[in-house]
Amino acid sequence: MRTRLAATRRLAVSCLIIGVTGACARGRPSPAAVEPGRLPTTFYAGGPDCAGGPPFRVHEYNADFFILRQAACTNFEKPFLYLVFGRDRVLLLDTGAQRVDVATPIDTLIRTWMTRHNRAAADSMQLVVAHSHAHSDHVAGDSQFVRRSATTVVGRDTASVRAFFHIAHWPTDIGAIDLGGRILDVIAIPGHQAASIAVYDRRTGVLLTGDTFYPGRLYVRDTAAYAESIDRLSAFTRTHPVTQLLGAHVENTATPYRDYPEGTVDQPNEHQLALYPRQLFELDSVVRTMRGRMTRTALRDVTIWPVTP
Ligand SMILES: [Zn+2]
Ligand SMILES: [Zn+2]
């Protein structure tokens, strides 16, 4: 409870410091001002056979926000990647799991976006490569961007993440990145992994939650840190217009309370990608009820899954 109040107060204080008529009012859209986007009814990643298909399925959420899903035939993890365009910079959140060319589809998307916006050289758009967290199924493609021009690859350790996103006190303060006319808030959410972050897009109201919250097995390695992170994420969600929460995997089936077995490649009847604030609040409530003694517990759309580090 102390943590919950502290988190709520910190959010409120940060708004007061910036000024209610300043960034809070400017940066935080009213629900009516949120930029719309479209999700497909299914994000099916295909079966075990690539059959010449592309290694990523690309979905245009809207003209400046793209979702990529790695094909099942390349890696059973089938992670989601996010590409968000501002005026000056574009953020790629995560680079996928092993054995796949991620640089080519990203370069293609950036070139296409530049053409659509009558922008000349792709070099004038800086690419920032950051990570929802440091696990191998989200960083495997980093090496493909290290030598790319006009590109910054953010370090995976907590100190690098904290410094890059200007998070004064980890994990309780909120950081940010300005892509040029588009501010993304960055919330530290350790527990699944020490350097885990959530990214909130003020324009669309989308909250990207990595492996900390998605329709599947929520592996918790540090139960105390995770409980505080879910509490902090819930406090943020209660004070901002969050349209949906998009994570980095789907492991649940469309049938409530039921996940696919670990390592499943082909998931033709999987849960939709999007989760909503009420599902986060339910998780927060259940985690708090556990009072630090976290046990494997299936909720309707997610499963709390503590693991030994
Ligand atoms: Zn992970
Ligand atoms: Zn993962």
Side-chain angles (χ1 to χ4, degrees):
M1 182 58 79
R2 182 193 62 77
T3 305
R4 179 179 187 75
L5 282 172
T8 306
R9 281 187 191 132
R10 196 176 291 275
L11 285 168
V13 168
S14 69
C15 280
L16 288 171
I17 290 171
I18 295 167
V20 171
T21 57
C24 265
R26 275 200 310 273
R28 187 196 303 174
S30 69
V34 166
E35 192 175 280
R38 187 186 63 81
L39 286 172
T41 52
T42 171
F43 247 117
Y44 180 54
D49 181 6
C50 285
F56 283 93
R57 173 177 173 181
V58 178
H59 174 76
E60 183 175 321
Y61 178 75
N62 69 25
D64 302 318
F65 192 121
F66 295 83
I67 305 171
L68 295 87
R69 189 179 197 188
Q70 189 166 337
C73 59
T74 66
N75 194 291
F76 77 91
E77 294 280 11
K78 308 178 279 295
F80 290 85
L81 287 60
Y82 296 91
L83 189 70
V84 185
F85 285 86
R87 186 184 58 244
D88 309 316
R89 296 197 279 182
V90 52
L91 175 76
L92 172 63
L93 190 68
D94 291 349
T95 60
Q98 291 177 338
R99 296 190 297 276
V100 72
D101 172 11
V102 60
T104 299
I106 294 301
D107 281 337
T108 301
L109 282 168
I110 293 174
R111 272 199 310 274
T112 303
W113 188 93
M114 299 293 286
T115 302
R116 279 187 189 173
H117 291 75
N118 299 314
R119 298 271 291 269
D123 275 4
S124 65
M125 174 61 80
Q126 296 282 319
L127 172 63
V128 175
V129 178
H131 313 96
S132 63
H133 63 297
H135 284 155
S136 60
D137 52 323
H138 305 275
V139 304
D142 278 18
S143 59
Q144 299 171 38
F145 296 97
V146 170
R147 279 176 287 282
R148 186 184 186 279
S149 64
T151 300
T152 300
V153 179
V154 180
R156 307 167 190 175
D157 58 287
T158 302
S160 298
V161 173
R162 175 184 168 184
F164 187 81
F165 292 113
H166 308 289
I167 299 173
H169 296 95
W170 180 280
T172 48
D173 280 347
I174 308 293
I177 179 172
D178 187 351
L179 300 178
R182 181 174 214 143
I183 294 174
L184 307 178
D185 296 295
V186 177
I187 306 140
I189 48 171
H192 170 74
Q193 195 268 326
S196 293
I197 56 170
V199 176
Y200 175 69
D201 175 26
R202 297 184 188 182
R203 266 180 41 186
T204 59
V206 170
L207 182 57
L208 304 176
T209 50
D211 279 8
T212 297
F213 186 63
Y214 66 89
R217 294 177 289 275
L218 307 179
Y219 297 116
V220 180
R221 287 171 178 78
D222 181 335
T223 54
Y226 186 83
E228 291 188 8
S229 291
I230 293 301
D231 211 31
R232 196 161 46 252
L233 204 55
S234 295
F236 183 94
T237 300
R238 288 182 199 284
T239 52
H240 295 73
V242 172
T243 52
Q244 53 218 323
L245 299 96
L246 305 181
H249 300 280
V250 173
E251 294 164 350
N252 268 32
T253 71
T255 304
Y257 299 97
R258 186 169 301 174
D259 57 344
Y260 284 101
E262 288 181 79
T264 298
V265 172
D266 192 12
Q267 300 183 168
N269 186 39
E270 66 182 12
H271 194 289
Q272 66 176 22
L273 170 63
L275 293 174
Y276 296 94
R278 60 184 160 76
Q279 289 150 314
L280 177 67
F281 301 152
E282 180 190 20
L283 173 65
D284 187 28
S285 169
V286 171
V287 165
R288 269 190 284 138
T289 303
M290 290 177 171
R291 297 176 186 275
R293 290 191 298 277
M294 210 170 276
T295 54
R296 189 181 298 180
T297 304
L299 308 183
R300 186 186 186 283
D301 304 289
V302 304
T303 303
I304 302 165
W305 198 292
V307 293
T308 307

